[in-house]
Structures are given as C-alpha cells and as structure tokens.
Amino acid sequence: MEQGKGLVVIVEDEAHIADLQRMYLGREGFGVHVESDGLAGLAAVRRLRPVAVVLDLGLPGLDGMEFCRRLREGGDWTPILMVTARDEEADRVIGLELGADDYLTKPFSPRELVARVKTVLRRAAGPPGEPVLTLGALALDPSRRSVHLDGRPVDLTTTEFNLLAYLMRHSGQVFSRAQLQAQVWGYADYRDGRVVDVYVSQLRAKLADASPIRTVRGVGYSAGPS
Ligand code: CA
C-alpha cells in the first residue's frame, strides 16, 4: 500500500467500520495499520510511530479515554482523532480534555473522516522564517512548534498549539467560537462551541497566569497582553 502521506493507526473493534476507515484513508495515500483492542493499539502506536491515530472510544482491553491518558502521560503527542457515538457527548469532552485533538461522530462520511485526519495533521506553521510570537512571558515559535513560558518549555497537543498560535498571530482581534472552529479545526459548518471552550480551558490550565486568552462576553475569545 502506498504510504506517501505517512502511517495512520486505526484502533477500532467493529470490523466493518475499521474496513471503511482503512479504505478511505488508503485511497488518500495514507498507510494504515488496524488494531481492534486498546492495549494492542497503544503498543502499535509506540512501536510504529504513526503520523496520526484514529481512535474508537469504546474498546476492549483499554477504552479510548484511558488510551489518550496513557499515551499523553508518556509524553507522546501523536495527533489523535477520537471516534464517538452521538450519545457520548460527555465522554467526548473528557476525551478532548485527556488530549485527543479532534473527534468524529458515527456515522461519518468518507469525506468527513479524511478531512478530520488532514486537519489534525495540518501544521500551524506559517511561512518559513515566521518570527517567534511573544506575549508577556510567553514565547511561541511557529517553525519549531514550541512554546516557552519564562524560558521553560510547555507541552501542548497539536490542537492546543494550533489554537494558541492562531490567537497570538491575530493578537487583539476578537473571534467567535464559529470563526475559531472554521480557522483552527477547518469545520465548514459550525458545530458546538464546547470544543473551543475545552481547549481554551486546557490552555489556561497549562499557562496559568501567563495565558493571554481573554473571554469576550457574548462574542468569543481574543489574545492580548495580560
Ligand atoms: Ca467500539
């Protein structure tokens, strides 16, 4: 199978869904490795170092949430696209808090799956040589994808980084949740604003007093000096 776009590990216990995912992503030029059990999936990610993981929430062995928690605890920031059922909204939010980068709701279309995988892979890196962005004690380097607070590195997931980079690039501008979902997640249609809120609160937790993100009541969010 062609692997021009890198390897994606799919962790899914329903064989017909895994087969569809394998087919859609394979057509797009991704290499695909499938596991049907959470523990085997985690071992595969650690062994194969894929470019992204498509992770079912309900799995034998180890569920999707515990999978995210263990992978992130080990310092592995491989982008994770979590696949959930419609009635799992609360779980979905917890999954995002545990370090998933985005989610997809079953049933999904091939176009949606491919678009979401491409988005978690899309780097927020700007044009080559884009200067380091600073706000107070915070320094974000778009080309190295690194964030430092008072000179100390801060670990961010891909999506946390992309959101922070977007807001810092447009410092002082106010964005609605719908605008941020379109710009950072690439959603064509507005979904629920919860996703944006979850990532803002995670960034605030990680950056504490140095967080440059302001809530603009009734509008959305903005980044600016504290
Ligand atoms: Ca399942």
Side-chain angles (χ1 to χ4, degrees):
M1 185 177 288
E2 190 196 345
Q3 294 201 4
K5 290 185 178 164
L7 180 73
V8 175
V9 167
I10 293 169
V11 192
E12 171 61 67
D13 59 325
E14 288 177 68
H16 69 285
I17 295 178
D19 287 346
L20 286 175
Q21 292 175 338
R22 181 200 294 272
M23 186 173 75
Y24 300 154
L25 292 171
R27 263 189 212 151
E28 285 292 312
F30 291 99
V32 177
H33 176 91
V34 177
E35 294 287 352
S36 57
D37 169 281
L39 279 170
L42 192 62
V45 170
R46 289 175 171 156
R47 185 175 74 247
L48 301 171
R49 311 226 136 263
V51 295
V53 184
V54 176
L55 177 67
D56 187 31
L57 186 58
L59 286 168
L62 191 68
D63 72 25
M65 286 197 255
E66 185 61 16
F67 184 110
C68 281
R69 200 178 62 73
R70 290 200 197 173
L71 194 70
R72 296 314 189 212
E73 267 180 7
D76 186 324
W77 303 99
T78 307
I80 296 174
L81 176 65
M82 189 172 266
V83 180
T84 68
R86 291 221 178 269
D87 58 359
E88 293 174 324
E89 187 187 339
D91 291 345
R92 189 156 71 223
V93 170
I94 295 168
L96 295 173
E97 286 169 354
L98 288 171
D101 289 281
D102 200 357
Y103 68 88
L104 191 64
T105 308
K106 291 176 188 173
F108 50 84
S109 71
R111 196 175 53 83
E112 212 183 342
L113 170 71
V114 169
R116 300 265 55 89
V117 168
K118 285 183 174 168
T119 302
V120 297
L121 289 174
R122 194 180 59 198
R123 294 308 188 211
E130 185 182 358
V132 173
L133 305 165
T134 56
L135 265 179
L138 194 62
L140 180 145
D141 186 335
S143 52
R144 290 168 185 256
R145 292 189 65 79
S146 66
V147 174
H148 285 80
L149 179 57
D150 279 328
R152 289 187 307 277
V154 182
D155 280 333
L156 298 182
T157 67
T158 302
T159 305
E160 288 165 359
F161 181 91
N162 291 350
L163 176 60
L164 183 63
Y166 188 79
L167 288 170
M168 285 179 72
R169 280 202 189 101
H170 302 91
S171 176
Q173 291 182 44
V174 181
F175 297 98
S176 67
R177 289 170 178 79
Q179 285 172 325
L180 291 171
Q181 287 195 345
Q183 293 297 327
V184 178
W185 281 262
Y187 293 162
D189 305 307
Y190 181 62
R191 305 215 275 184
D192 62 74
R194 292 280 290 284
V195 179
V196 177
D197 295 341
V198 166
Y199 280 94
V200 167
S201 56
Q202 280 166 210
L203 283 167
R204 285 175 172 158
K206 289 186 178 182
L207 302 174
D209 292 345
S211 170
I213 304 174
R214 314 263 158 272
T215 302
V216 182
R217 200 175 296 275
V219 186
Y221 295 105
S222 167
S226 42

